[in-house]
Structures are given as structure tokens and as C-alpha cells.
């Protein structure tokens, strides 16, 4: 059994799949969080869940795997045939791919699996009700099994039909992969006044602002906004950011940032000097250094920034006495050749007494870092700030529910 998750009180720890005796021929749903981009360049999220699926199959369970990829609303959700092929190789057995997941044919495929058989069903985000946690869709998914093992740490901060929705329909257990992520993150979770702490929040996703900035500005000593988070901070302070990246829901994020800045316990780093470049589609040209007070010219975007002297002094102090640090989101447009802030922060995070972790699939794939990582992104940020997640709450509620298993 996995050691008790240190950051969760014993009475709040979810029940583990490792504690569940698997009966030969049982029908199980495995709720995964593969979400690999086209081309299968980064398969770490699949690899993280292979052991749980193998344990179920090796014990004779009939395993129906549900996973997501892309988004329904922007048309990026794709079929998962390549994932089934890759999973077959990792498990050493054929994984049947069934493109559907709610039809009678899909249910028939789940029932026809032999003990030890594994099938990957269609992308859950082919349904508009997946991300809105439609209970009717969850009930359709639930027909693929009689119990559910919940993995998919990357979506554990979201209440979707294929995770928290399924837990309203079937008895459920936390996958070992989910608990491993919690254990990995526990040194960086919650407030710890005994150890200095610094968080870097970059990237473009709204959760970096709405979840990360809100929570870590209360539990960490210093927060360094970067990427879209920095641009929202600048907008909230009255600066025009021209073509700088704001991600989805820009008005909501900027409004939330203004509120967060007014109540932040952390010291928030706002650079006086930034590097801007002319934006043309997905490329950048004519880079130059300016002061924020000069304003961002029309057609230009912030692509990098310089650390203020007070922050550099504090980083040296933290590195000498020991501290914890989180980098969630690439601080600058590193892959486009703008690596000043990213390189400086990574070099510091690699110091012997800096206990640092990189969060998020894009961050991990883009930045060279030899230390601890988590592909959890928004889930990791939510857990670090709240020491809890919607999926964990749903698992605890599920465990307290009297079920009649078939």
C-alpha cells in the first residue's frame, strides 16, 4: 500500500485501488488522462497510468479505458487509435480500440472482453457534456463497467462526466498513479512558514491565473508572474499590452487578477524592463528591450522580461539557506529563442539547496530541467494551493456511499 499522503489528513485520504481485491472477470472502467497531442511526441501521461491498467488486466479484470484529448468546443478532439496502438506495446497485449463510448455497440464491446482484456473507447471530449459534467453522459459512460478506477491526475481539478460524474454512478477507487502524484507534490503543497518559497507562473492557460495566482499568492512568499499571467498583472495595473498573449477568457482573468493583487500575501514581482517583439501570426521579429512605462507599441508583444534586483537578491538568499520553488508554465517564449528569464530562473532552480519542481506537460517538455516534474498542470496548482482536488472530494463522497456491486 502507498504510504499515507502526508498533506492529507488520514480521514480524508481516498481509498486506493491497491487495497481493492480484483475479482476475475469483473468489469472495470479506468478513467485516464492521456490527453496526448497529435504525433504522440510526449507520452508521459500514458506511461504514468500503464501500471494501474496492467494490474487490473493481470488480475483478470475486463478493462474499459476512457480518456480525453483536445477540446469539443474548438474541434481539437481527435480519435485515439494511435493511443491504443501505443498502449498495446506498453502492456504487451492487444488493446482494442472502440471509437464509440456511449452506444449499444460500445457496451457490447465492453461486455465481450475476455478476462484480462483491455479496450480503449472513444475520446470523451467528442461529447459537449463531458466538460460540463452532464450526469446523463456520465450514466452512459457508466454502462461500460461495474466499478471505476480514477486516474487522470491531469484533469483531477476538473469535474467532468468521465471522472467525478462516473463516481456518482459507480463505486470508485483512486488509481495508484493519482496517489503517486499527490505524494510527489506534497513537499510543495500548502503554506510552510518554516521554509522560504517562490512560485513562477507562466504559460497561457487561464488556470495559471484563476487557480495558481489566486492560491499561491496566499501560501508562497514570492510569486513571479510570467507569460499570460504577467500580461494580466500589467493590464490590471493599467498598462496596455498590445499583442501580448492573454489566453482564453482575458477579461475574466484580468478582473480576477485585480482582485487577487489587492489581497495577496506574497510579494509579487512586476518587471520594469521587458523584451518585446513584433507579432506576425505565430512568429516574432524586431525584438527590443523597453521599460514597461514606455508602453507596448501597437503590433508588439511581450516575449521575455528581466528580473528586478530585489528579486535576484532574494533568490540568492533563498538559495543559500534552502527553499522550495515551483515553476508552472514556461516563463518566456523559450522555444522561439527568448530565453533570458527562463534560463535565469532555471539556473537558480537547479541550485543544490533549492527544492524545485516543474509543473505542466508543456513546461516539462519545453524546458531543460533535471529535477522533479509533474505533468499535472492545473491539477497540481490546485492541489498545491488547496491541498485538495474535486476528484479527491468525489472519491471520499463515493467511499461513504453504500453501493451494491454486481
Amino acid at each position: 500500500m502507498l504510504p499515507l499522503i502526508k498533506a492529507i489528513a488520514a480521514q480524508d485520504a481516498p481509498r486506493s485501488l491497491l487495497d481493492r481485491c480484483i475479482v476475475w472477470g469483473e468489469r472495470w472502467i479506468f478513467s485516464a488522462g492521456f490527453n496526448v497531442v497529435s504525433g504522440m511526441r510526449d507520452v508521459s501521461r500514458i506511461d504514468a497510468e500503464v501500471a494501474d491498467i496492467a494490474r487490473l488486466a493481470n488480475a483478470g479484470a475486463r478493462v474499459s479505458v476512457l480518456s480525453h484529448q483536445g477540446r469539443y468546443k474548438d474541434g481539437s478532439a481527435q480519435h485515439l487509435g494511435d493511443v491504443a496502438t501505443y498502449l498495446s506495446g506498453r502492456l504487451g497485449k492487444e488493446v482494442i480500440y472502440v471509437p464509440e463510448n456511449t452506444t449499444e455497440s460500445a457496451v457490447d464491446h465492453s461486455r465481450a472482453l475476455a478476462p484480462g482484456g483491455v479496450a480503449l473507447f472513444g475520446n470523451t471530449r467528442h461529447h459537449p457534456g463531458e466538460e460540463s459534467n452532464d450526469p446523463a453522459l456520465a450514466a452512459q459512460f457508466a454502462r461500460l463497467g461495474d466499478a471505476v478506477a480514477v486516474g487522470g491526475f491531469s484533469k483531477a481539478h476538473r469535474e467532468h462526466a468521465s471522472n467525478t460524474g462516473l463516481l456518482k454512478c459507480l463505486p470508485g477507487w483512486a488509481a495508484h498513479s493519482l496517489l503517486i502524484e499527490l505524494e510527489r507534490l506534497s513537499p510543495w503543497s500548502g503554506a510552510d512558514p518554516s521554509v522560504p518559497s517562490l512560485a513562477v507562473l507562466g504559460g497561457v492557460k487561464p488556470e495559471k491565473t484563476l487557480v495558481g495566482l489566486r492560491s499561491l499568492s496566499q501560501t508562497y512568499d514570492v510569486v513571479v508572474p510570467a507569460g499570460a499571467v504577467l500580461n494580466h498583472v500589467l493590464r490590471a495595473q493599467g498598462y496596455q499590452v498590445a499583442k501580448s498573449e492573454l489566453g482564453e477568457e482575458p477579461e475574466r482573468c484580468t478582473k480576477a487578477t485585480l482582485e487577487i493583487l489587492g489581497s495577496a500575501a506574497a510579494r509579487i514581482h512586476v518587471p520594469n524592463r521587458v523584451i518585446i517583439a513584433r507579432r506576425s501570426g505565430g512568429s516574432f521579429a524586431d525584438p527590443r528591450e523597453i521599460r514597461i512605462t514606455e508602453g507596448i507599441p501597437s503590433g508588439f508583444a511581450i516575449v521575455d522580461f528581466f528580473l528586478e534586483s530585489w528579486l535576484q537578491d532574494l533568490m540568492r538568499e533563498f538559495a543559500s539557506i534552502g527553499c522550495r520553488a515551483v515553476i508552472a508554465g514556461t516563463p518566456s517564449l523559450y522555444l522561439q529563442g527568448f530565453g533570458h528569464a527562463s534560463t535565469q530562473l532555471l539556473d537558480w532552480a537547479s541550485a543544490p539547496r533549492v527544492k524545485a519542481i516543474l509543473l505542466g506537460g508543456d513546461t516539462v517538455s519545453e524546458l531543460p530541467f533535471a529535477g522533479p516534474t509533474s505533468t499535472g498542470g492545473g491539477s497540481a496548482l490546485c492541489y498545491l494551493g488547496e491541498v485538495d482536488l474535486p476528484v479527491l472530494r468525489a472519491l471520499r463522497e463515493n467511499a461513504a456511499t453504500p453501493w451494491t456491486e454486481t
Side-chain angles (χ1 to χ4, degrees), residues 255-315:
K255 182 179 179 181
T257 299
L258 183 61
E259 173 195 332
I260 293 166
L261 293 177
S263 60
R267 188 170 184 182
I268 309 294
H269 175 266
V270 181
N272 286 312
R273 295 181 300 138
V274 298
I275 297 174
I276 62 172
R278 187 181 300 278
R279 188 166 195 162
S280 178
S283 62
F284 297 88
D286 193 18
R288 62 186 73 169
E289 176 188 336
I290 68 164
R291 290 190 173 275
I292 283 294
T293 51
E294 297 174 37
I296 311 300
S298 177
F300 280 74
I302 298 172
V303 295
D304 207 342
F305 62 95
F306 295 89
L307 305 185
E308 292 295 297
S309 59
W310 70 261
L311 178 61
Q312 296 184 58
D313 291 342
L314 204 55
M315 288 165 59

Side-chain angles (χ1 to χ4, degrees), residues 15 33 38 48 76 91 94 134 181 197 228 279 308 333 354 397:
R15 59 183 182 180
S38 179
S76 61
L91 290 172
E94 181 188 9
D134 179 2
E181 283 295 325
S197 54
R279 188 166 195 162
E308 292 295 297
L333 295 187
V354 177
E397 180 180 329

Side-chain angles (χ1 to χ4, degrees), residues 44-69:
S44 57
R45 287 179 175 174
I46 303 176
D47 293 340
E49 308 204 75
V50 166
D52 281 308
I53 298 171
R55 178 177 181 272
L56 287 167
N58 292 343
R62 296 180 283 165
V63 188
S64 297
V65 181
L66 284 173
S67 186
H68 70 288
Q69 180 279 326

Side-chain angles (χ1 to χ4, degrees), residues 159 167 382 386 388-398:
E159 297 182 48
L167 288 169
C382 184
E386 301 178 12
D388 206 356
L389 290 165
V391 156
L392 299 181
R393 290 190 286 271
L395 281 163
R396 293 194 295 268
E397 180 180 329
N398 182 281

Side-chain angles (χ1 to χ4, degrees), residues 15-16 28 146-150 166-167 170-174 395 398-399 403:
R15 59 183 182 180
S16 169
W28 277 82
D146 298 318
V148 57
V150 180
L166 273 175
L167 288 169
L170 296 171
W173 283 261
L395 281 163
N398 182 281
W403 297 96

